[in-house]
């Protein structure tokens, strides 16, 4: 029967999807940074908070787009040696921070010009901290660290699942090997029993045993021996 769209199977499949995981973390992470950044503005007692209602979402969106560029860079570097990846992480994060800071300064320049007329000391202190390249670099380094950490964690999970599959296959092979060892003994004993019945002139019972043996062997060929089988 068709599975409903909102069934647990669909939800689990969606949660385990790599693209869904990436975009959920991407949107959630940058939204969380934006909320944190906006809340931090409140502690500076900014008299024109309404100006930041548009500024914060824009710089979050720009940061999200720039981090997508980092993702492409890290995918390209994934097969490189560890030192090259570390160097690429540091350099890529720094270049991303430069691009992010430059875009933020372009967007915030009209706000700075307006705020300087009202409170020069407040603006210089505030933006010297939050628009600093070091702060932007740390944000990109944190994003890069989380990206590599999650990727390595996913690889670890995949290797663990692969190990479990290999162990299950080995166990199944052992069971099949045991079955192949038991079958000749079973067949040998059954034929001996039939031979004894024939020597004892009990042909009817011998014929019944041959018929049942034939049914049993056919059943063994037509069905998976690893599945549960009725005792009958």
């Amino acid at each position: 029967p068709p599975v409903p769209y909102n069934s647990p199977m669909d939800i689990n499949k969606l949660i385990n999807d790599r693209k869904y995981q990436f975009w959920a973390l991407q949107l959630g992470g940058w939204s969380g940074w934006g909320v944190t950044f906006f809340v931090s503005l409140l502690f500076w007692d900014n008299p024109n908070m309404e100006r930041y209602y548009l500024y914060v979402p824009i710089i979050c969106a720009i940061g999200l787009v720039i981090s997508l560029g980092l993702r492409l860079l890290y995918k390209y570097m994934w097969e490189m040696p560890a030192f090259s990846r570390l160097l690429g992480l540091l350099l890529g994060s720094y270049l991303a921070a430069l691009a992010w800071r430059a875009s933020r300064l372009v967007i915030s320049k009209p706000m700075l010009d307006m705020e300087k007329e009202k409170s020069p000391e407040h603006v210089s202190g505030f933006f010297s901290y939050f628009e600093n390249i070091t702060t932007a670099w740390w944000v990109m380094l944190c994003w890069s660290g989380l990206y590599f950490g999650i990727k390595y964690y996913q690889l670890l999970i995949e290797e663990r699942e692969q190990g479990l599959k290999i162990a299950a296959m080995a166990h199944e092979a052992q069971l099949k090997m045991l079955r192949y060892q038991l079958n000749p003994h079973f067949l040998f004993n059954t034929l001996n029993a039939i031979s004894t019945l024939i020597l004892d002139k009990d042909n009817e019972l011998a014929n019944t045993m041959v018929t049942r043996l034939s049914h049993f062997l056919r059943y063994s060929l037509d069905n998976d021996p690893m599945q549960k089988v009725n005792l009958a």
Side-chain angles (χ1 to χ4, degrees), residues 212-223:
R212 291 184 176 179
L213 176 62
S214 175
H215 291 165
F216 176 80
L217 293 177
R218 183 178 298 277
Y219 185 89
S220 299
L221 292 175
D222 294 340
N223 294 272

Side-chain angles (χ1 to χ4, degrees), residues 36-57:
T36 303
F37 181 83
F38 190 83
V39 171
S40 65
L41 295 175
L42 299 176
F43 289 95
W44 288 88
D45 193 23
N46 197 305
N48 296 302
M49 287 298 298
E50 66 277 1
R51 302 182 189 277
Y52 293 93
Y53 292 143
L54 184 61
Y55 171 75
V56 173

